[in-house]
Each structure stands twice: as structure tokens, then as C-alpha cells.
Amino acid sequence: MEKTEEKGHLHPLTQVMREIVDSFTAMGFEVTDGPEVESEHYNFDALNVPKDHPARDMQDTFWVKDVPQTVLRTHTSAVQVHYMESNQPPFKIIVPGKVYRYEATDATHETQFHQIEGLVVGEGVNLAHLERILDEFFKRLYGADAKVRMRPSYFPFVEPGVEIDVSCVKCTGAGCNVCKQTGWIEVMGAGVVHPNVLQAGGIDPRKYRGIAFGVGVDRLVMQKYGIDDVRLLYAGDLRLVNQF
Amino acid sequence: MNIPISYQWLKSHFDKEIPSPEEVSTLFMKHLCEVEGAEQKGDDTIFDLKIMPDRGHDLLAHRGIAHEVSVLAGVPMKEKAQKEISIAQVTPLRVAVENAKLCPRYMGRVIEGVRVTESPAWLRERLESVGQRSINNIVDITNYVMLELGQPMHAFDMGKLARTEDGAISLVVRPAEVGEQMMTLDNKDLSLISDTLVIADTKRVLAIAGVKGGKGAGVNEGTTAIVFEAANFDAVSTRKTSARVGIRTDSSRRFEHDISPALAGEAMSLATELLIEMCPDAKVGEVVDVLARPLKNYKVGIALSELNGILGTTLSDKEVKDILARLGFVYEVVDDPRTQVVVMAPTLVDKPYKFGASVLYDAPEAFDCASFTAYLWKEAGVAIPRMSVDQLVFGDEVILESAQPGDLIFSNSGTDNIYYESKEWMKGTKVPEGVDHVGLYLGDGKLIHASRYNKNGVALESVAESARFRNIVGVRRIAIPAEPRYVVTVPLERLDLRIKEDLAEEIGRVYGFDKIISAPLSDITFDARILKSYHYANVIRDTLVAQGFSEVFTYSFQNEGEFAVANPIAEDKGFLRPSLHQGLMKALELSRYNAPLLGLDEIKIFEIGKVYPGVMKEELSCGVGAYVAKSMKQSKREERTKEIFNEVRQAIEDVLGVKINDTQTSDAIHFNLGALLEKLPEPKSPAPFKAVSVRYEKSSAYPFMLRDIAMWAQDITQDEILAIIRTEGTDLLVRDRLFDVFTKEFDGVSKTSYAFNLVFQSPDRTLSDVEINEVMARITEKLSARGLEVR
């Protein structure tokens, strides 16, 4: 009986997630996780996302049946307040996980995808530290030439809120079709944790400050390997997986 | 919300030169928001700006954006001269607002003697540049004002409104009555409920507040008199109504973002000016202004060390002042907040007491105990909580004997609502002594406080003699950096600036986040633990991969299960998966079909993910599936499948050191990894991982074709044979596999038989039999020419 001695293959989502998480554990971060079925409190209210507010439009939500105020988490940020409630600062955590959004599916949108969240809380933590941490991370992921930049953005759970761009992996900033000639690719949302969120986690915002960041893994995987349709990642198709 | 902004329209706000569209785009990206597009339209550039919810109050408007250009490029905006409007005798207008919370402001104005015509060219161009249709001069004015100031407006045909007995127009802003009807301007017939706020006259509903006007009072060519409306409607109510009636407009979307009632006044003035320009003979009536609460500015303070602390910058006092000046913010520098509080307090003696007084609206005319202390500190640029119990938890504990001027003294006087835990600040913090009163210590044994039991509200007395302070439960000091504070008077339209972090972001973004120099975080003493689920999931993954299994990710949503979704994306996706089974089966089927293309005799897959075997039940599951693709007797296949599962179970048990309890079906085994984790020890070191470098190639969407070829060979290597096959096969040959090889003696000559599976596929078309037969013929020819006997 012929036995295939061939090894199997890890899914590119796992590979990229492990690479990202490993970069952060090498920087002293602790891996943590939370439930995919979440209360509205942890997914929205504790994160300073008010009810009936346009900010909720930024994340269309799946609700579960017959259990009030319960959703499928729309972001891994939901884990932030859980962790804060049971851990004293200082700490650095990294949270890989599956999230859900009520969105029409197409080549770049799926109802389920993966994110990785980071949260650092300590005394005197600030935006400059955020930039250094992300700079170090992207250099580990993409190489020594990788650069990051911050520009203004908004998320209800951070203030200041920023968008993080990384220098284009393909052209290293010269300009190409991947980065639409800008030399930069938008990769992450980030910012200084809003004092309301720290309070919701039982942390005094006058003593401690936090920085947080979140990245969509599926998009990174697609960019890294030139996979043009996110649905291919969930098709259970070995024609994709076995290339890795 | 994305909005189109015209560069030429922005330019009209300036006398001096402003930067080019490209430069403006760059400034916005760096300091304001994302520019998602910039389209050339003639000599204009139309930006597609992504305005985030926190700036929806002021930036869904050309003037707001022009102000940003002014701040960021340093070009002053044109001075807007206030035009005198002469008021004439017109039909009287009365406005009643039934619910001030839902309608904080309603401004109405009658204008008679108007002529409804086509708008002047400049107005039509402005509207069309941002994709707005020109309707007529009146309607266009209301739309222009909305796009210019961010304040939606409406116009009613006065001739179609009901009159009171004395010939006046009487408008009321009220909830609809159940079953009331309205036909919208675009012919949608609506039946209303009492949650819907409407504008009505004495006879009928005229408009759904903030959302859509009714056809009945719409302005058209015959209109000779109008009522202009500039109003403010509650954001949440408008949002809910808009969703309920299924109408979303530029107007409703702006109200949803919450706008300042101050804008209504500006809008009404601008609209009136424009109308007079177009209809110089029009008779303009007084503005009827129902404003629930006076327009008051918030004050937010921040110290330099706090600002630099948040941003990680080293901005100087001068740099901060320069930025505040660029922003056009009115501010004062409070050198010593504590002293200011202590000096200001006695000036408020005898101000009346009002329970639940608002710090913004009632101060400094009326106070309750905690609004008094909150107000004093707010004026000095320090935000403290609103309630006495929260102020107690907020402050730093001091003993009474060490009290300093500016400290807060708390008591439980037993007469008011006594609080035993904090309500808003560090919510739930216990205060066992209970607190119901607070006052400000002034030094020399004196304090000042607002109480209903004082003769005149705010009173200054000695601590020892004050009846309300017989039972002091604590003294607290407000801890602030010992430095001056910049106390900014927040412009009325900036609803996003409320706490010092908002100011830090505002100053930071104008300074430029790109200017922040990254800095290392000094080592945080933190022992990162290893997460069991993450660790062991990876250990299992690596074990399975070593056993030849490949990982899949499948969908959580299915057509059946135990735990349902309230709003599924599709009918067949109404449940969360109770197990990994269905997903694995689908994946197996897909790869069964593709087995030749994949070059696999056995399909071996796995998934690790969350499953939902019941309502509110969430488990981490590991599922392993296998299918023996190689052609063989069914009984042999079943035997081999069993063997595969036994091997994999053994491999996992060996690596983990515990038995796994799995459930098995014919094609898969599953086990609850989450439950298993409890039996496993805490991991000591993480599972190592090495990323692979891969060149991914997209699979063809077109079907593949299979052919076999067998031959006798001598004096030729397998590699040489493959070389011939691959050359003749061209790119269409995507896989070749040797499936049989043996050697036989023929009359003393040793010959080897080779048999290959060949898989053909094109990336851009379906291949035909004819085409592949030709390729096979070429291969056969070339092999024969080399002395091989193709069978």
C-alpha cells in the first residue's frame, strides 16, 4: 500500500497569524482570546460605541436569536475590556481571532474574517510608543526596509485615533498598482485607548494610559500572496491551501 | 459618511490663493481625513472625502472643510459681511414645539412676494458640481445652504398651509398620531406612528422632521410665499425614524450625526440673503425662533505635560499657542487652576440652589452642591465628575487636618439622596460611609457650598459650624499637574471636543502625527503567559501537518444547527455550525473531485475552530477528515480510512500525552479541544513556527482533463521520459504522476514499464477532447521516436 510521505499544509491564514503573533510574543506580548458570541456590552458599550449612533454603521452586526443584547463579535477589540477587568496594568496583549460583520459578500468582503488586536496598558504609554511598536513589528514581518506612518482617523474606542500605513511591500514606496501609486498601504487602525474604555475595564485613566491597534489578517494574506478573492480563503479548497 | 467637496466651491471662501487640489489632498490625508477620490470635472476638482462620525457635526459642509483648509494651509478665510435684512409686514407665523428634547431648536420665517424660477447659473453649477439636481431657486437655496453650512433646511409653500382664525400660520413640531398619513415629495405614501416626529399645521402633517418633506406643501412654480425652516432635530430619533420609514436623505444623515443648534441661525440668515438677491422685491418676515436652551460653549482644559504625555511629543508652549491660534480657538491660560477655583468661588455666594442643575446651562446662575464644585473646576480647565459620590471616588484622599484651599469636603448629611457607590466615575466603586453633599474648602476653616438648606443657595461658612457638614466622610484633593492649563472655549459646532483627549487629538493632528518621533517603551515588568488554547491548537496543527493533513477554514454559518442567527445574511445561513462536520464534508467533496489535479491518493484535511452545539454554547473543536481517492475496493477503502484515523488519533495522543475522546463518522473524527485543554499542563515554551515563502498561483476556473499513458522503455531514465512528456505537454500539462512501474525480462532484455497519470488544464478556457488528443498524439510520437513502446 503506497503511503504518501508528503507533509500536509498549514492554511495561509494560520501561517500569517502565527507569524504576526510570534513577532509580538517575541516583543513580550501575551496571547489571549475571548468568545466569538459576545454581549453587546463588551462588543460596543464598554468600547465607547454608543447605541443608535453612526459609529455603529462602521460595523454592521449579526445578532443571535432569542438571546437579547447578544451579538457575534464584530471585532477582536471586544476582548480588551474582558482582559482589563481581570488583569492589572502594566500588560501587553495580542489577540488573534475570528470576527463577523453583516456585509454583502464579494471579492473583498466576507461575513466572517480574522483580526489581530493588540493592547498595551501602562504608565506613560503614548502614541510615540505605538509607532515604535508597530515599526518594529512591520520590520519583522516585511523586512528592514518597511516603514510606517500615522494619519488621523476615528474609532470610538481610541482618542487620538489613527490609521497606520505601511510602505508598499511590492515597490517599497516607489509606487505601483498594489499601492495605487501612493507607495503606502493602509493596514491597521490604532490609537490611544479612550479613557471611557479604561474605566469600563476598571482601570484609572489618570494613572494609566493604553495604546491599541487592530489589523485585518485576511487582507494582509491576500496582499502578501496576491490572492484576489477573500472567499477563496474559506472554500476549503486544497488547490489553494496545498500551495503553502 | 463620504461627501463630495468641490475645490472651486472651497476656493470661493478665500480672497487669497489656496494650495492646489493635489496639495489640499495631501494636507487632508496628513491632518484631517482620508481622501478617497479626486475627480477632474472641467476646471474643478471634486474630492471624495471620508468624514468620520466624530466630525460629522461640522465637516459635512463646504464651509467646515474650507475652515480646515484655512487652518492647515494658513490662508485666512474671507470676512463675511453681515447683511442688513429689512423686516416687512407679512402673514404672522407661530411655532410650537411639543418636545424640546426631540427638537432643540425650530426657526421659521415667512417670506412673501417670491417668484419661483430656475436658479441662477452660479447656483446650478455649485449644486451640480457635487451631484445635486437643481429643482428651482427656493429648493436649491435650501440644498445649497445644507451643502455649505451642514445645516439642512426646508421650505414650505405658505399658500398651501392652513390658517388659524386670525389668519396666521401655526406650525407645531409634535409626534405623529398613530395612523396619520403623509405623501412625500417623491410620492411615497407613509402611514406614521407616534415615534415619528413631524411638522404639522392645524390640519395635517407637512413633513417628517429632519427626514423628508410632504408633497402637500411642496414649493413649485405657482408658489408666491414660503416658510423657510432651519431646525435642529435629535440625532437618535431622526436615525430611528429614517430607518423605520426607509428614507435616508442628505438631511437625515446630517441630523443623525448630531449638529449644533447654532447652525440653524446661520443657515436662516444665509438662505434669506440668497433669496433676497434672487427676489429683491420679496417681503421678509421676522424669524420665529423656538430655542429650548441657550447656546453655551463647553470649556476643555489641558496642560502641556498632559498633551505631550498623550502624543509622545515635546511640543513647547509657543508651538501649542501657535496651533490654537491657527485653529482660531478662543482660549485662556490658567496659570494656577487651584487658585482660580478658590478665588472664583466666593464671587458666587447667594446664587440660588437648583436640584440637578446643569453645569453647562444653569451655571453660573443656579447650582446644586456637585454642579457648583464641578463648575468651578471646569472653568479652571479641569474636568471632574458631575455627581458628589463620583467626585469623592475621583479625588485623592486627604485628612481633614491637612485640607488645602481647593480641596473638596464630603459629608453624609442624611437628608438628600445618599450614594454608596459611584455612578459614572470608576462605576461601582463602593463608598460604605455614604455621601450626599460636597463643598469647596477655602482654607482658614472655611468652606463654600450650594445647598437647598442654605438661606440663599450658595453660602460661605465655617466648616465646624456648617449644619450640612456635621458628618464629614472625606476630604479629597483634585490632583493636577503643577503647571498652567490651556482652557479652550470650544466652538459651538465642535460637538467632538469634550475632554482633554479630544484636544490632544486636535492639536496633534494639526501638528502632524507624521512628525511624532517613535520611541521605545521602557521595559514593562510583565510576565507574558502562554495561552493554552493557542499553544495546543498549534501543537495539534503541526502534528497533523506532519501526518500529511492540510488545514482548512470553513464557514461558521450553515443551513441548520442549534443556535440561530436573528438576522442571517441568507436563508441558508441561519445557524451557527453545531460542529465542524458539514464544513469538512464539503471540503472533502471538493478535493475529492480535484484529487488528480492535486496529485493526491488520499485527501486528508483538518480544521480547528469554534462550534455552537446549543444556544449560548461555544466550544473549540478539532475536526479531521479523510477520503481515500485512489481507486480500490470499497472494503479496502474503508479499512484504509479507519487506519488513517487510528494513526492520527495516536499521533495526537502521543504528542499531548492524554487520550482524546472523539466522535467518529465514516469520513471524519471530531473532538472538543476546549474540554481537552483542562487535562493538559500549562505550556512552558511556545510551539516554534517558521513561515514559508510561497509563490501563490490562482487556480483555473476551468475543468481539467485526465489522460493515462503507459510505455515500455529501455536505455532511458524516468527523468528523460518526463522531460519529453512535459515539453510536448506544454503549459497545458499541469500535473504528471507515475502510478505504476515495474521491470520485466523479455528474451534476456530488461524492459521497464512506466505508467503516468496526466492532468491537463488551461487557465483561460475549457479544453476539448480533440485538442488533448492532439497533444497526446504528439507525446506518443516523440516517445516512439526515442525508442519507447507506447501502449
Side-chain angles (χ1 to χ4, degrees), chain B residues 594-616:
Chain B
N594 285 320
L597 189 60
L598 296 163
L600 296 174
D601 283 332
E602 295 175 342
I603 310 295
K604 292 164 24 174
I605 60 173
F606 73 93
E607 179 168 8
I608 295 179
K610 292 286 179 81
V611 299
Y612 303 85
V615 174
M616 290 309 285

Side-chain angles (χ1 to χ4, degrees), chain A residues 36 63 110 159 161 199 243, chain B residues 426 502 555 566 612 618 697:
Chain A
E36 287 179 12
W63 296 81
E110 252 295 358
E159 185 79 357
Q199 273 198 67
Q243 292 190 43
Chain B
M426 305 306 294
D502 298 331
Y555 288 100
Y612 303 85
E618 182 175 329
E697 264 175 44

Side-chain angles (χ1 to χ4, degrees), chain A residues 165-187:
Chain A
D165 296 331
V166 69
S167 48
C168 180
V169 279
K170 188 159 174 217
C171 65
T172 50
C176 67
N177 63 321
V178 172
C179 61
K180 296 187 200 145
Q181 307 305 328
T182 61
W184 295 92
I185 297 183
E186 182 183 309
V187 272

Side-chain angles (χ1 to χ4, degrees), chain A residues 127-128 131 148-152 162, chain B residues 27 30-31 72 308 311-315 319 323 326 507-519:
Chain A
L127 217 50
E131 191 172 350
V148 297
R149 73 174 183 187
M150 299 192 295
R151 53 184 168 82
V162 297
Chain B
L27 281 175
K30 259 201 193 168
H31 300 282
L72 299 175
N308 284 325
L311 298 175
T313 46
T314 48
L315 292 174
E319 284 176 287
I323 291 174
R326 282 168 67 187
I507 294 169
R509 71 164 180 101
V510 172
Y511 173 67
F513 293 135
D514 58 326
K515 297 234 248 314
I516 295 177
I517 300 171
S518 76

Side-chain angles (χ1 to χ4, degrees), chain A residues 1-4 6-11 13-15 17-19 21-22 28-37 52-58 61-65 67 70 72 83 87 90-92 96 98 100 102-104 110-112 114 120 125-129 131-133 150-154 159-162 186 192 194-195 199 202-206 209 225-228 231-244, chain B residues 29-32 34 52-54 236 239-240 248 256-257 308-312 394 424-426 499 501-502 504-505 509 513-514 516-521 524-529 531 534 538 541-542 545-546 548-557 563-569 576-577 587 590-591 594 597-598 600-606 610 612 615-616 618 630 632 640 647 687-689 691-692 694-700 737:
Chain A
M1 172 60 61
E2 187 189 305
K3 237 212 241 167
T4 34
E6 272 211 23
K7 290 183 78 172
H9 303 263
L10 278 178
H11 196 285
L13 279 175
T14 294
Q15 302 217 30
M17 281 200 281
R18 280 175 84 169
E19 201 182 357
V21 171
D22 280 5
F29 281 67
E30 173 176 300
V31 183
T32 187
D33 196 7
E36 287 179 12
V37 173
D52 299 313
H53 188 271
R56 291 241 181 155
D57 288 341
M58 291 164 72
T61 313
F62 280 107
W63 296 81
V64 307
K65 204 161 183 209
V67 188
T70 307
L72 293 179
Y83 191 88
N87 291 275
F91 54 73
K92 312 194 275 202
K98 194 171 186 179
Y100 301 86
Y102 187 97
E103 278 186 14
E110 252 295 358
T111 50
Q112 66 178 40
H114 291 76
V120 177
V125 173
N126 62 44
L127 217 50
H129 300 135
E131 191 172 350
R132 176 62 64 98
I133 288 170
M150 299 192 295
R151 53 184 168 82
S153 187
Y154 167 77
E159 185 79 357
V162 297
E186 182 183 309
V192 178
H194 197 288
Q199 273 198 67
I203 293 178
D204 188 333
R206 292 166 313 162
R209 207 176 292 117
Y225 297 115
I227 299 172
D228 63 358
R231 294 167 291 193
L232 292 171
L233 297 175
Y234 300 104
D237 195 343
L238 293 187
R239 288 178 300 170
L240 180 140
V241 175
N242 282 13
Q243 292 190 43
F244 294 88
Chain B
M29 285 292 282
K30 259 201 193 168
H31 300 282
L32 183 65
E34 207 161 320
M52 302 305 257
D54 66 331
V236 172
R239 182 179 163 85
K240 285 183 167 164
R248 210 163 201 208
E256 274 186 47
H257 279 83
N308 284 325
I310 292 168
L311 298 175
F394 182 85
E424 283 172 359
W425 175 261
M426 305 306 294
I499 59 175
E501 287 78 4
D502 298 331
E505 180 181 78
R509 71 164 180 101
F513 293 135
D514 58 326
I516 295 177
I517 300 171
S518 76
L521 195 56
I524 282 186
T525 346
F526 168 63
D527 280 321
R529 294 156 293 190
L531 185 66
Y534 182 73
N538 285 331
R541 283 189 177 101
D542 293 340
V545 164
F549 286 79
S550 286
E551 185 180 18
V552 297
F553 278 70
T554 64
Y555 288 100
S556 294
F557 296 128
F563 196 2
V565 176
N567 57 328
I569 195 84
L576 289 167
R577 62 188 180 190
L590 179 62
S591 291
N594 285 320
L597 189 60
L598 296 163
L600 296 174
D601 283 332
E602 295 175 342
I603 310 295
K604 292 164 24 174
I605 60 173
F606 73 93
K610 292 286 179 81
Y612 303 85
V615 174
M616 290 309 285
E618 182 175 329
K630 186 170 176 146
M632 63 181 70
R640 172 62 192 145
E647 279 167 11
F689 172 72
V692 293
V694 155
R695 255 214 62 131
Y696 165 78
E697 264 175 44
K698 193 181 160 134
S699 312
S700 168
R737 281 226 307 166

Side-chain angles (χ1 to χ4, degrees), chain B residues 5-17:
Chain B
I5 292 286
S6 149
Y7 177 81
Q8 291 298 335
W9 192 331
L10 290 177
K11 210 166 156 205
S12 69
H13 291 85
F14 301 90
D15 283 318
K16 298 202 166 156
E17 278 288 314

Side-chain angles (χ1 to χ4, degrees), chain B residues 712-715 742-753 787 789:
Chain B
W712 288 107
Q714 59 184 105
D715 303 322
F742 59 90
T743 309
K744 207 167 168 186
E745 285 261 332
F746 290 95
D747 302 321
V749 179
S750 202
K751 286 193 188 176
T752 309
S753 166
E789 261 175 71

